[in-house]
Amino acid sequence: MTGKELLDEMKETVGLGSSADSGEDYVVVQFKQIEDNELGLFAIFDGHLSHEIPDYLWTHLFETILNEPNFWTEPETAIRRAYSITDNTILEKAVDLGIGVCLL
C-alpha cells in the first residue's frame, strides 16, 4: 500500500479532507516522488482570522523546505531554516496578505 493510499484510508476513517474543512483550518498532505523515495509531507495550517496565510503556506512552505540544500543530510536544520524564510516572507508581505498574519 502506498503512502497516499494509506492516508486516503485514514482520512476516510476519521472524516478529514485535504483542504479547508473547518473554517480557516487546512489539513494538508502531499506525497512527492523524489528519485527512489516517496516523501510524505503533512501539515495543519490554522488561519485564525482569514484564509490568506494558510493559502500562502500551502503553496510555498513544502517547496521552501525541499529547496533547502541540506534537506536530505540535515533535515531538522533545513526545516528550521525554511520556516524562518517563510515566516520572514509572510511578514514582508503582511500588508498584501491582510489580517491573520502571525509568526509561525
Side-chain angles (χ1 to χ4, degrees):
M1 179 177 282
T2 68
K4 183 174 180 348
E5 292 168 338
L6 179 61
L7 178 69
D8 288 342
E9 187 174 311
M10 289 169 51
K11 286 187 334 187
E12 184 178 321
T13 301
V14 297
L16 289 176
S18 60
S19 62
D21 289 331
S22 58
E24 290 86 28
D25 293 349
Y26 288 59
V27 176
V28 180
V29 176
Q30 290 181 9
F31 287 93
K32 296 199 178 262
Q33 191 70 36
I34 300 176
E35 297 176 11
D36 292 334
N37 303 305
E38 181 181 32
L39 183 63
L41 303 162
F42 307 89
I44 298 174
F45 302 132
D46 184 356
H48 296 289
L49 300 174
S50 70
H51 63 86
E52 283 86 358
I53 300 305
D55 284 348
Y56 184 86
L57 292 170
W58 189 347
T59 58
H60 292 89
L61 182 58
F62 290 155
E63 287 306 313
T64 303
I65 291 170
L66 294 175
N67 286 331
E68 279 296 303
N70 60 344
F71 173 73
W72 292 104
T73 58
E74 298 179 46
E76 182 177 347
T77 301
I79 290 168
R80 286 180 186 276
R81 180 165 161 67
Y83 266 81
S84 180
I85 290 167
T86 304
D87 191 43
N88 288 332
T89 303
I90 287 171
L91 291 174
E92 289 170 6
K93 297 177 181 249
V95 173
D96 297 328
L97 293 171
I99 61 172
V101 174
C102 62
L103 297 177
L104 295 172

